[in-house]
Amino acid sequence: MWDKVEKILKVKGITTYRLSRLSKIPKTTIDNYHYGKAQMSFKNACKIADALHVSLDELRGDKSK
């Protein structure tokens, strides 16, 4: 899922620091997702989707909407 988040961040010009601020998820947690040290929880996936103004389906790359 993080690969999709990274693509959206790049398109929108948002840094991981800004994502942390927008989503209210600690930067260390965002970094753990980035470096594959942690699996994203459903709760944090929802926060990230909201912060990026995308649906959860778009965040996970589900094209069967």
Side-chain angles (χ1 to χ4, degrees):
M1 184 182 300
W2 183 256
D3 292 338
K4 187 65 175 175
V5 172
E6 276 192 315
K7 288 177 186 174
I8 295 168
L9 290 175
K10 188 173 183 177
V11 167
K12 294 185 178 238
I14 298 173
T15 64
T16 55
Y17 174 78
R18 183 74 180 138
L19 176 61
S20 171
R21 302 286 295 189
L22 291 170
S23 65
K24 297 183 177 32
I25 298 171
K27 177 71 166 79
T28 53
T29 302
I30 298 290
D31 288 342
N32 285 339
Y33 298 152
H34 180 109
Y35 295 110
K37 294 182 179 180
Q39 291 289 335
M40 193 179 304
S41 68
F42 179 75
K43 180 180 174 181
N44 282 351
C46 291
K47 288 180 179 182
I48 289 171
D50 288 346
L52 296 175
H53 302 288
V54 299
S55 69
L56 281 174
D57 286 337
E58 186 176 345
L59 192 64
R60 43 184 283 258
D62 187 357
K63 300 196 187 320
S64 63
K65 294 186 214 175

